[in-house]
Amino acid sequence: MMNTWHKLSAIETASVLATDMEQGLSSEDAKKRLARYGQNKLHKGKRFSALMIFISQFKSLVIWVLIGAAAVSVALGEVIDGIAIIAIVILNAVIGFLQEYRAEKAAAALARLTAPHCRVIRDGHSLVITTTEVVPGDLLLLEAGDLVAADARLIKASVFRVNEAPLTGESQAVAKFTVSLVLETLLAERRNMVFLGTSVTGGSARAVVVNTGMETELGRIAKLLESAESGETPLQRQLEQVGRLLLMACFGIVGLIFGLGVWRGIAPFELFLSSVSLAVAAIPEGLPAVVTIALALGVQRMVQRHALVRRLASVETLGRAQVICTDKTGTLTMGEMTARKLVTSQNLYRVTGEGYATEGTFFSGNVESFPSESPELFALLRAAAACNDAELTLIDGRSTVVGDPTEGALLVAAEKANITRSAIETDMPRLAVIPFDSDRKRMSIIRRQANFPWAFVKGAPEVVLSRCTLIRTDQGVRALTEIDRTHFFQANRLLANDALRVLAVAERPLEGIHFGAGVFGSDVEIEQQLILLGLVGLQDPPRGEAREAVSKCKRAGIKTVMITGDHPDTARAIGCELGIMDKGDEVLIGAEIDHLDDAELKERVPHVSVYARVTAEHKLRIVRAWKATGAVVAMTGDGVNDAPAIKEASIGIAMGITGTEVTKEAADMIVADDNFASIVAAVEEGRGIYDNIAKTLSYLLGSSTGELLVMLGAVLLGWPLPLLPLHLLWINLVTDGFAALALSTDPIDPGVLNRPPRQAQSQLLNRKLFYLTLFTGLLAASVTLGVFAYELHVVGNTLDQARDAAFTALVITGLLRAF
């Protein structure tokens, strides 16, 4: 169905959907529509069984080369050799399987976001049904605490607010209304719509369902999630290249030896045995297991640094990351609204503390201020808590807000001054409420104080200021002058320029007016001749450690890109504060991305550091555009709208605390403490792991080269073979295996983050390592052949004794090479 419902009026929407705005659908009509549109649920994506995950461990070409070598060994009667090689292959598969045993549950997790039951009107009666039975045209009844059961157009709304952060990334609850909007209105600004999977934080509403199941905005994300593909990691691709190199080396060696043997007239069986021996020598049988163990050990170290890795190869990919695309809300910021600045008649106060934690201090300039010693500051904080419907609760030791996040931030600020909601309710019982709505842009709560009513008011600064005639100072209440008004309007502009959401707070005694408990509808008498108390600037603040983490990324040559559903001004302010962008840099918004094709977006992305007002589809396109430039891209986030881009990225990273289950299941890595700095620590770990794998590969290939030259040299000189296949296998698995494990656990270079990231196309076995491999191989082969010749031709020992000496020499040179 169409997604232009926000353009239609409530009456037009009901007409198009053939539903009655008071009676709803009939039960018979609802059944027919259920048959037509299907159940209101999201399709589950393809699921992977434990068996499939185990089988996927055998995809590597190196593994199949080893299986081939084992089969040939058994066929030639070398059963012990074959069993040893197969044991290594199985060990490798078991380690990989144990680390990666998680099903692909993204679509199933999306389905769990939906509410199990909801209230609708059918046949003129309110009834509770399962959400799967909701159909287009149903009338939804919504109130605080409900999860929205489908995409719906609002037709009635009373003080209605919705938390859309999981879908849009908007960090504060959104006030909703019923008026029509223009067609071009962005998803995050469709205030007359509610969407599946979002939650109601306040008020009540009636809405007509317009889309269900996979046709909802959440359904569109589910489709994007199915289409997103992260592909192989750079390490997997490079190990495949090593596998192809080894395979070609095996065929080349067999062909060369056959040619030399035929020329020299050697018996075919002996010739074939020699060829297989050389092929076994060329293959570092321990490589897959050592790489897997190195990655697994890295995973265990990363757990200590608050990073949980789901796919082994992702560890190295993160170390190669050139771009980290990150959501703002909950990742770079706390994801919790916070009062950051307060303005009174005489002072500008800065408030410390982050999120909903009630620890914090007030500063005027650099001097600590105490609300108990400043009547105007105390009055401002008390009124902010008195004009409030939110609640603060402790869940698992963390302070959490129940209700509107903005009101929660005001409660937290008051608690920092030891003003609690419970004390206010005891000392000043509530008498009546004049609710907030989008037209009035203000709210009032009337309480009883000192035996007569007292109104506490908060709202938009321009609205509240226009209704104030007095102002409270530390010296008492006096008349509000034009100079005062100018002072507050300028302060409002300064706070807004810092991307703070600004509220004005006022109060007024109501002597001689009688109130009964409940909601009071008229504001004619009440919200006039107010006493202005001050302004509160609120923001979802950057995490304390995020700026240093962004700075580390810059030093490491990694570009940080912020992608958010928030307003461009908010995105710009946070981007500048964290050092992601400079004040003159552009912020690209979702509407502009819609006008760029994929080629144009690919050209644009290297020059943009901050994106605002973006949807899940925009995030996916941005990640794809970066990948199209050849960059290794990490994507971090916590909301449902981040999940497709997280799955598409070279490495997807989800937040462990605030992240939705959908996001975690789509990710390769989960940051347990929701800390951007932990991602940087994981990058450091990834780079160290890559360095160790490169050293290990060079060591193992150097050993294989030495063995190969020993065997080839003996054949060319017409000597008997210095080493038997079992000797070679022992060296490859035992001697080299343990030395390689030691190399794979080397400490990380302290300066690993001071160098630029490796290019995606860079080779694991580069020219420097190739020459080192060749040199050490030649050295080991020369020593071994020299010892073999000395024992056999100079000392005159038997062939077995000479082989023992050659074997010992090659083992010792291997251990020395490790150092």
Side-chain angles (χ1 to χ4, degrees), residues 655-786:
M655 300 295 106
I657 298 172
T658 58
T660 60
E661 190 176 351
V662 186
T663 316
K664 292 175 186 176
E665 292 300 335
D668 303 303
M669 190 179 98
I670 298 170
V671 178
D673 60 355
D674 282 17
N675 191 333
F676 188 76
S678 295
I679 299 171
V680 180
V683 170
E684 182 179 27
E685 196 70 49
R687 289 190 177 186
I689 288 168
Y690 178 88
D691 288 348
N692 288 346
I693 288 175
K695 281 188 286 188
T696 303
L697 179 63
S698 176
Y699 172 78
L700 290 175
L701 291 181
S703 181
S704 294
T705 302
E707 295 165 24
L708 184 61
L709 291 173
V710 166
M711 303 295 279
L712 188 59
V715 171
L716 290 172
L717 293 170
W719 295 352
L721 293 178
L723 300 166
L724 298 174
L726 191 59
H727 288 139
L728 297 171
L729 203 57
W730 177 275
I731 292 170
N732 286 352
L733 295 183
V734 181
T735 306
D736 293 346
F738 286 109
L741 273 178
L743 286 173
S744 70
T745 57
D746 261 6
I748 297 172
D749 177 3
V752 74
L753 283 181
N754 295 328
R755 63 187 192 221
R758 298 175 308 284
Q759 297 298 310
Q761 298 79 18
S762 64
Q763 298 300 309
L764 188 59
L765 188 62
N766 56 36
R767 183 175 296 179
K768 180 181 176 182
L769 284 181
F770 174 76
Y771 287 140
L772 180 64
T773 298
L774 194 59
F775 171 73
T776 54
L778 277 168
L779 193 61
S782 301
V783 170
T784 304
L785 282 172

Side-chain angles (χ1 to χ4, degrees), residues 145-437:
D146 287 347
L147 274 178
V148 180
D151 288 4
R153 170 69 164 85
L154 290 168
I155 56 176
K156 289 183 182 178
S158 174
V159 204
F160 192 60
R161 299 178 72 80
V162 178
N163 179 2
E164 296 183 338
L167 184 65
T168 66
E170 179 72 58
S171 54
Q172 56 194 30
V174 181
K176 297 288 185 173
F177 46 67
T178 60
V179 298
S180 303
L181 298 168
V182 297
L183 180 62
E184 294 78 17
T185 306
L186 297 172
L187 179 68
E189 295 173 352
R190 293 177 189 171
R191 300 295 177 89
N192 58 8
M193 299 285 298
V194 288
F195 302 101
L196 173 66
T198 59
S199 56
V200 180
T201 62
S204 59
R206 179 179 294 191
V208 58
V209 174
V210 295
N211 285 322
T212 58
M214 295 300 285
E215 297 305 313
T216 61
E217 291 297 329
L218 207 61
R220 289 183 63 219
I221 292 177
K223 291 174 187 174
L224 290 174
L225 203 52
E226 289 175 4
S227 69
E229 290 290 343
S230 58
E232 287 186 321
T233 68
L235 180 63
Q236 287 170 327
R237 288 195 295 271
Q238 293 193 5
L239 288 176
E240 285 298 295
Q241 291 173 355
V242 171
R244 285 193 292 272
L245 179 68
L246 292 175
L247 196 59
M248 288 188 291
C250 288
F251 285 128
I253 291 159
V254 170
L256 176 64
I257 298 306
F258 254 96
L260 289 171
V262 169
W263 176 61
R264 290 181 53 207
I266 298 174
F269 182 77
E270 185 184 344
L271 190 57
F272 188 68
L273 192 62
S274 301
S275 301
V276 170
S277 299
L278 281 167
V280 170
I283 301 170
E285 283 84 1
L287 177 61
V290 168
V291 169
T292 300
I293 291 169
L295 292 172
L297 291 172
V299 166
Q300 297 307 312
R301 288 196 302 270
M302 289 173 80
V303 168
Q304 298 169 7
R305 304 181 80 168
H306 310 292
L308 310 176
V309 176
R310 298 183 61 211
R311 293 176 62 205
L312 278 181
S314 304
V315 182
E316 185 275 333
T317 308
L318 188 59
R320 192 185 284 265
Q322 297 159 294
V323 181
I324 298 180
C325 295
T326 174
D327 179 45
K328 177 185 77 69
T329 306
T331 306
L332 293 172
T333 63
M334 295 292 296
E336 301 171 346
M337 290 296 287
T338 307
R340 303 195 73 189
K341 292 182 180 178
L342 307 173
V343 179
T344 62
S345 64
Q346 294 164 300
N347 282 299
L348 167 65
Y349 295 94
R350 177 171 54 87
V351 188
T352 65
E354 296 174 343
Y356 297 147
T358 54
E359 296 79 25
T361 309
F362 300 86
F363 285 91
S364 177
N366 293 319
V367 179
E368 185 175 351
S369 297
F370 299 93
S372 58
E373 299 173 4
S374 172
E376 63 171 5
L377 178 57
F378 186 85
L380 171 60
L381 292 167
R382 185 188 63 169
C387 186
N388 206 302
D389 283 324
E391 296 282 353
L392 279 182
T393 61
L394 280 177
I395 298 178
D396 296 330
R398 296 179 74 244
S399 188
T400 305
V401 166
V402 178
D404 186 275
T406 300
E407 292 195 334
L410 297 176
L411 276 188
V412 170
E415 289 228 3
K416 290 174 182 177
N418 296 318
I419 301 168
T420 64
R421 173 73 186 273
S422 58
I424 285 175
E425 295 297 341
T426 301
D427 299 339
M428 298 187 294
R430 181 184 300 216
L431 299 175
V433 177
I434 306 175
F436 174 91
D437 68 43

